[in-house]
Structure formats: C-alpha cells, structure tokens
Amino acid sequence: MSGNVTFTMIKPYAVKKNFVGPILKIINEKGYRIKAMKMTRFTRERAEAFYDVHAGKPFFNELVDFMSSGPIVAAILEKENAIADFRELIGNTNPEKAAEGTIRKLYASSLTANAIHGSDSDENALREGSFFFSEMEQY
Ligand code: CMP
C-alpha cells in the first residue's frame, strides 16, 4: 500500500457533538478520496480486540469504554503519502499538544475523546481497516 491508504475513525464524542460533517469537509479539502465509509459501533469485545496493543495499560478500560459508548464513523482514505500526511492533519494524540488547525485541536475534548484516529503504518492500516471493511485488502 506504500503509505497511500490509511484508515480513520471519527470517535464517539465527536459523532455525538455532530462534528462528522466539518471533519469530513477538512479531509475532503485536503485531497483524500473516501474509498469506503460506514457509521457503525464497537461492541466492548471488538474494541478490546482492536486496541489489544494497549491491553494492561492504565488507560485501557477507559479507552474501551469510550470507544464502545456510541456510534463511530470508520473510513478508508486514499491520497499520496496518506498515512504520514493524515497523522499530521489530525495532530497530537493529546489535544492540548495538538497544533493549531489540526482536527484534534479543533474538535477533540480530551486525550481519550480525541475526536479521530489515524493509522500509523501500512501494516496497521490493513489490520485496522479489516476490522470494518472486508474489501480492505484490495486497496
Ligand atoms: P489513538 O491513537 O487514536 O488510539 C489509542 C488511544 O488511546 C489514543 O488515541 C488515545 O485516545 C488513548 N491514549 C493513548 N495514550 C493515552 C494515555 N497516556 N492516557 C489516556 N489515553 C491514552
């Protein structure tokens, strides 16, 4: 995939606050093509599996509770250098440290409710996208 395809989720509190439209507008204006998208919801078990790399960390339960607390919007995005560019566009994991103009600076509420996720590698984009899209392999 060579860094050109990434996976994103707009997280529950941002969906609840009705930020899906403004966030998608930014993504669109930055030149990402939406290859697949759905509004869906994590069960607790699926959230635990998705975030298993964080199992045992102090924030794991809060993360799983939060991510299974309401609907999310999951999507596969394509653009040249999508993985790195998208991480820059969403900003620091902690919104207090996120740069001006980034999606997390604009729409995140806290470290846990940080509005949006972006994959950090080809391997994780494939793994994470495959949780929601059976056709992920074709990208
Ligand atoms: P994200 O990178 O999308 O996926 C893992 C999430 O865990 C991350 O966003 C944060 O919301 C959360 N997270 C990471 N580190 C911490 C931390 N030190 N304390 C609380 N939550 C964290």
Side-chain angles (χ1 to χ4, degrees), residues 7-10 20-21 23-24 27 33-40 72-77 132-133 135 139:
F7 169 76
T8 188
M9 297 181 287
I10 302 176
V20 172
I23 290 172
L24 290 178
I27 291 170
R33 286 173 294 282
I34 297 170
K35 305 293 285 185
M37 183 166 69
K38 68 171 79 157
M39 184 174 273
T40 182
I72 61 166
V73 173
I76 298 168
L77 305 175
F132 299 98
F133 302 102
E135 69 272 31
Y139 304 113

Side-chain angles (χ1 to χ4, degrees), residues 26-136:
I26 293 172
I27 291 170
N28 191 240
E29 285 170 353
K30 293 290 179 183
Y32 294 85
R33 286 173 294 282
I34 297 170
K35 305 293 285 185
M37 183 166 69
K38 68 171 79 157
M39 184 174 273
T40 182
R41 192 174 171 148
F42 271 120
T43 61
R44 214 192 138 76
E45 293 67 30
R46 294 257 300 160
E48 283 174 354
F50 187 92
Y51 287 110
D52 66 352
V53 67
H54 297 303
K57 294 183 184 168
F59 60 86
F60 183 67
N61 279 339
E62 184 183 342
L63 176 62
V64 168
D65 281 347
F66 171 67
M67 288 303 297
S68 56
S69 69
I72 61 166
V73 173
I76 298 168
L77 305 175
E78 185 181 55
K79 185 181 87 66
E80 198 180 313
N81 206 34
I83 290 194
D85 287 356
F86 197 70
R87 298 275 291 181
E88 196 176 324
L89 179 62
I90 67 178
N92 194 288
T93 306
N94 183 345
E96 288 178 12
K97 297 181 185 163
E100 290 297 329
T102 60
I103 292 174
R104 284 172 171 159
K105 181 71 179 182
L106 290 164
Y107 298 112
S109 306
S110 69
L111 181 52
T112 300
N114 65 354
I116 192 161
H117 171 82
S119 301
D120 62 4
S121 65
D122 278 348
E123 185 190 1
N124 281 335
L126 182 59
R127 175 187 176 274
E128 293 165 1
S130 298
F131 266 78
F132 299 98
F133 302 102
S134 57
E135 69 272 31
M136 186 66 196

